[in-house]
Amino acid sequence: MVAVDVMLNSISDVKKFVNIVSKYDFDIDLTSGRYVVDAKSIMGIFSLDLAKPIMVEIHSDDTGEIMKELKPFFIEG
């Protein structure tokens, strides 16, 4: 499993993010505070507080390709 913090600042960002993660067969979760939602669910993502960083948990050992695609959403630091 790999965990990284991301920011989804707009509706467009959420759509792009869901399109990317939906291509992969493994489970991907988003965690914000005590809430955990399926990263492939647009409705689930919009139930989170998008003003704060969100942790992405990728449940796979083969994360190289998805990490490249999600890089624009990573929080630098």
Side-chain angles (χ1 to χ4, degrees):
M1 182 184 88
V2 173
V4 63
D5 287 331
V6 298
M7 282 297 290
L8 301 172
N9 295 313
S10 67
I11 293 171
S12 175
D13 282 352
V14 172
K15 287 180 184 177
K16 289 176 192 171
F17 182 86
V18 171
N19 284 337
I20 291 168
V21 298
S22 293
K23 296 189 292 187
Y24 295 91
D25 291 335
F26 41 80
D27 289 334
I28 304 167
D29 295 325
L30 293 177
T31 304
S32 179
R34 62 188 178 118
Y35 299 101
V36 178
V37 299
D38 183 347
K40 299 174 185 177
S41 167
I42 289 179
M43 293 302 290
I45 293 172
F46 282 123
S47 72
L48 300 175
D49 182 359
L50 298 179
K52 298 178 182 173
I54 300 170
M55 185 190 328
V56 179
E57 294 180 354
I58 303 169
H59 301 278
S60 173
D61 293 328
D62 183 22
T63 59
E65 197 60 37
I66 192 170
M67 293 297 278
K68 288 179 196 171
E69 289 193 70
L70 294 179
K71 189 166 179 59
F73 303 106
F74 291 174
I75 297 173
E76 299 300 324

